[in-house]
Amino acid sequence: MLYNNNATHIRRELLVKLASLAFEGTLREKIDRVPLEMIPKGQPSVRCCIHHDRAVIKYRLLAMMGFAIEKETDELRPLSSYAEEALTRTAVEDPLLTVIDEACSACVQSHYFVTNACKGCVARPCVLNCPKKAIQMVNGQARIDPSLCVNCGLCQKVCPYHAIVKVPVPCEEACPVGAISKDPQGKEHIDFTTCIYCGKCMSECPFGAIMERSQMLDVIRALQSGNRIVALVAPAIPGQFPGDYPQLVTALKMLGFTDVYEVAQGADETIEREAEELVERIHKGEPFMTTSCCPAYTRCAHIHIPELKPYISTTKSPMLYTAEQVKQQTPESFIVFIGPCVAKKEEALRSGVVDFVLNTEELGALLVAKEIDVPHCEPASILNTPSAAAKSFPIVGKVSQAVWEKVKEQEKGVQVRPLVVDGIDRQNLKILRQAVKTKPDGNLIEVMACQGGCVAGPTTISKPMVAVKKIEDWIRKSTVRMNAPQEETTAVGVRS
Amino acid sequence: MERSNHDRKIHVVICSGTTCYLMGAAELFGIEKALEESLASRISIEGSPCMNLCKGGSYGKAPFVKVNDTLIATATVPKVIEEIRRQAAM
């Protein structure tokens, strides 16, 4: 989509400020001033007044320091006091999303509305078709009585003038599992027993009211601790920054990471084992198997489609295999997973092997705060880079393709018929439920919560198309001359 | 004979340093799709290495875009399009 989201811009600017103060060691002293610096006197306000704007900035900073807004007990407690707590805590906690009630505009409950385009026609299909008799003509135009309307949408469908619109609540509309809803004051709340951490509400809220509780400060502290800190870089990440992947590796080391691993390394193990598992299941006569690498999908299936559970591959995710490999080689390592996903944070928290998760924007903020420009970094020489199939995991359709090709390579007699569920929404959830009841056409079903795959994850910076191209570039470069010194260091930006 | 201004190419340079990219330059690639064909065919879009405008803040805030010789700070899709249209009409 071609537009700049101002809420995204503000969030990134704040992340950079927070990271700069944390690196400088002046967070406690300076953080209370940040809302004033961001919204100086005399500037036109976005909300009712600059004080409201500043309050929202304060709460954004709270979430960025890892706190849940819902748990605030004293409104007078200054940011500096939270900073103190964040800089001394020893563990991060869930839930990983939080709603800023001050930012939530308490959108009017999703409803249908007759606009002025209504001509008050003679046919009046809206009046005639409304099953609840909720529409009457008032002053020559249709009017819906909200106390009778059940939001079925029939009137909108039948209006010959397209005069009836649906006014949605964007976060509720985006949530595929109905986990976000209004409290009596009209503010949104997330039910974390049913939330699948897909991050769609966060991406869709035009007020930026839903935020991740960031672990960025914990990562900065780890980087400054002198311990061995290992970055596990999701295969989506090479598509997210200017410059190429070997340059990003150098940038990560400049930030203080001791070592950098591609999570695609674990993806190679996932492919291997998932192919074996699929063959075994087909031999047993099972109708199909679904992939298991998308944590929002597996959580979704466990909570919302339990009948699908037996069909989910028990193979672990690339992140877990990579983390286990690192822990085996260097048990003293702290592991930081870097990816575009919210649900991975939840998977990491449960895993016991991954210590922290940094999202794409947060990594960007660390680089900007440290004034590290990726395209200016010397490319690192990368040995033993994973396969092209593993590196393609973040692109929709490529996980099932990789498993399929692996089976073809090893078990020539087994027929694999891949199917792809591209994005979890209400429609696709129905399809998945149906798959359990009726035998689906495919026997290997790939499910990605984000439409397009991880390249379209909730915290991505690049547009998905650009990200795919950059990932393909990295695959080409790494397979053509895996160990040869890099010649092109000027590949900057993207021509579209 | 001088070429008519209406054929003059409009050169858009989007800074693709890490700061600009994070702060919104990534959203600006593909901006020609928001323009009508006659105008889109007159512009060329190119990513540039860090132009060093983000340091110190004297040029404003990232992301930075140059439309021919005009520098735009805190560039957004509407701001860049407005400048392209202004120059096209000259």
Side-chain angles (χ1 to χ4, degrees), chain A residues 179-196:
Chain A
I180 189 162
S181 59
K182 291 179 176 301
D183 69 8
Q185 280 74 46
K187 304 281 185 175
E188 297 292 336
H189 278 266
I190 299 172
D191 176 357
F192 291 105
T193 58
T194 56
C195 172
I196 59 169

Side-chain angles (χ1 to χ4, degrees), chain A residues 253-311:
Chain A
K253 294 204 171 157
M254 285 166 76
L255 277 177
F257 286 98
T258 322
D259 232 328
V260 180
Y261 285 76
E262 285 178 80
V263 171
Q265 187 180 315
D268 269 323
E269 196 167 340
T270 299
I271 297 170
E272 192 87 30
R273 298 202 186 194
E274 210 154 274
E276 268 173 41
E277 190 186 348
L278 178 64
V279 170
E280 216 179 283
R281 282 174 182 254
I282 290 175
H283 282 321
K284 271 198 222 153
E286 291 186 23
F288 69 94
M289 178 182 92
T290 82
T291 54
S292 62
C293 51
C294 172
Y297 158 61
T298 51
R299 187 174 158 88
C300 178
H302 276 91
I303 299 173
H304 300 282
I305 324 174
E307 64 271 29
L308 196 58
K309 275 196 278 187
Y311 302 99

